């Protein structure tokens, strides 16, 4: 079960987070690749007999 | 008649997840089926990048993050594979790593003409697929002219940097919202959705917001 998401509180504006907190995003000059994406690619390559 | 759901999207032109997230959001919005009004906002992931970075994106990441070249190449290969899964043919061999601030100014220029969405798609395609330079004024003017904008007007807008305050205002608003990464979606000014979510997630979020509107007096 996924833990409840924290509410983003800033001095000016408040947003209620929705969606998957592990979704891929770029921060600074780095764009992380979540593990589930890596696994999905491996699965696809297996399906295509590419591995 | 209900107002469309407003979705404000913070994004950078050289953010691979932003283009992938754009496709996934568009798919999710189509699944949702209701009226959605999208507005893009500027976010600079690496504002200190030189306009003409001397090297490839692999060089850039390897230098910046101190990662082995092989590891960076593997990361990029994965991103290219994910992009392919949503119909985007990223061409990292020909990408021009650059500073995107002027491309954001061009996006605001296009927004002032009511054509921001068209320009957003064109700039992402320019950077990730076409191998075009999105950091230099002459290259950006050519892209704008191709879309039918007036050459003199867009040249003046970019050379005078009269849309730079709008870019900086977007960045400041992102900071107020606590946005650290992109893509980031603010829905109805109340909900924050971070990252390139699955299309179904976007559809669910939009449906949830719509349902909430209908039950709130």
């Amino acid at each position: 079960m996924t833990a409840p998401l924290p509410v983003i509180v800033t001095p000016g504006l408040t947003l209620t987070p929705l969606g998957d907190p592990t979704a891929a995003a770029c921060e600074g000059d780095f764009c992380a690749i979540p593990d589930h994406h890596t696994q999905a690619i491996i699965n696809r390559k297996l399906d295509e007999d590419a591995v | 008649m209900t107002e469309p759901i407003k979705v404000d999207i913070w994004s950078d032109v050289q953010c691979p997840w932003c283009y992938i997230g754009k496709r996934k959001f568009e798919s999710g919005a189509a699944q949702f089926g209701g009226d959605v009004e999208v507005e893009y906002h500027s976010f600079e992931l690496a504002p200190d990048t030189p306009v003409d970075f001397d090297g490839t994106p692999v060089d850039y990441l390897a230098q910046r993050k101190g990662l082995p070249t092989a590891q960076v190449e593997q990361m990029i290969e994965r991103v290219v594979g994910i992009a392919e899964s949503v119909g985007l043919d990223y061409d990292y061999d020909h990408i021009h790593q650059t500073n995107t601030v002027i491309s954001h100014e061009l996006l605001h220029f296009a927004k002032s003409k009511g054509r921001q969405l068209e320009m957003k798609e064109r700039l992402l395609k320019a950077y990730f697929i076409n191998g075009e330079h999105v950091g230099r004024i002459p290259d950006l003017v050519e892209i704008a002219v191709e879309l039918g904008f007036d050459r003199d007007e867009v040249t003046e807008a970019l050379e005078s940097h009269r849309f730079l305050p709008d870019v900086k205002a977007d960045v400041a608003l992102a900071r107020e919202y606590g946005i650290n990464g992109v893509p980031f979606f603010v829905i109805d000014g109340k909900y924050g959705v971070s990252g390139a979510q699955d299309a179904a997630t976007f559809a669910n979020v939009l449906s949830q917001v719509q349902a909430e509107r209908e039950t709130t007096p």
Side-chain angles (χ1 to χ4, degrees):
Chain A
M1 187 173 154
T2 310
L5 300 176
V7 173
I8 300 168
V9 179
T10 67
L13 301 160
T14 303
L15 294 173
T16 302
L18 293 176
D20 175 8
T22 67
C26 295
E27 198 168 319
D29 53 11
F30 191 67
C31 301
I33 302 172
D35 290 342
H36 63 271
H37 274 306
T38 305
Q39 191 57 51
I41 291 168
I42 292 168
N43 291 345
R44 194 167 72 237
K45 284 185 175 175
L46 286 171
D47 290 344
E48 293 167 356
D49 292 329
V51 176
Chain B
M1 191 175 156
T2 56
E3 291 280 311
I5 294 177
K6 178 76 190 295
V7 181
D8 294 280
I9 306 174
W10 271 262
S11 166
D12 196 357
V13 174
Q14 58 186 359
C15 155
W17 294 122
C18 293
Y19 205 3
I20 293 166
K22 184 175 187 290
R23 281 291 179 274
K24 291 187 171 187
F25 174 78
E26 288 162 350
S27 177
Q31 287 175 33
F32 163 62
D35 287 338
V36 175
E37 180 189 339
V38 172
E39 180 177 351
Y40 278 94
H41 296 273
S42 302
F43 194 94
E44 295 177 76
L45 281 167
D48 57 339
T49 306
V51 170
D52 284 305
F53 176 77
D54 186 18
T56 65
V58 173
D59 298 330
Y60 180 83
L61 274 174
Q63 287 174 23
R64 287 277 184 127
K65 310 310 288 184
L67 297 171
T69 300
Q71 189 180 339
V72 175
E73 285 172 343
Q74 193 179 35
M75 285 168 54
I76 287 176
E77 187 189 345
R78 288 176 186 168
V79 171
V80 168
I82 295 161
E84 195 182 337
S85 72
V86 295
L88 297 171
D89 189 15
Y90 282 8
D91 182 6
Y92 267 89
D93 289 340
H94 297 97
I95 278 178
H96 294 282
Q97 192 83 39
T98 186
N99 188 303
T100 58
V101 68
I102 302 175
S103 65
H104 285 295
E105 293 176 42
L106 179 56
L107 280 163
H108 278 279
F109 169 80
K111 183 161 82 172
S112 75
K113 306 290 182 188
R115 297 177 61 188
Q116 186 204 31
L117 300 186
E118 192 183 347
M119 183 62 80
K120 182 71 185 180
E121 177 66 27
R122 182 62 183 84
L123 287 174
L124 287 165
K125 186 180 180 191
Y127 183 78
F128 283 106
I129 296 174
N130 293 356
E132 294 168 282
H133 202 298
V134 298
R136 298 186 299 222
I137 290 176
D139 300 74
L140 291 167
V141 167
E142 289 307 319
I143 288 171
V145 169
E146 181 204 296
L147 289 181
F149 289 97
D150 179 81
R151 180 182 295 276
D152 292 341
E153 190 181 8
V154 72
T155 300
E156 183 280 325
L158 297 185
E159 287 183 346
S160 68
H161 298 288
R162 66 184 158 97
F163 288 96
L164 183 58
D166 297 301
V167 175
K168 297 303 177 190
D170 275 352
V171 173
L173 184 54
R175 204 174 297 124
E176 280 195 71
Y177 272 127
I179 296 170
N180 296 316
V182 286
F184 195 97
F185 305 76
V186 175
I187 301 173
D188 252 4
K190 292 184 289 190
Y191 301 99
V193 178
S194 175
Q197 306 272 341
D198 288 337
T201 304
F202 283 122
N204 289 339
V205 166
L206 291 167
S207 297
Q208 183 179 332
V209 171
Q210 182 71 39
E212 187 180 295
R213 276 180 168 197
E214 288 166 0
T215 55
T216 305

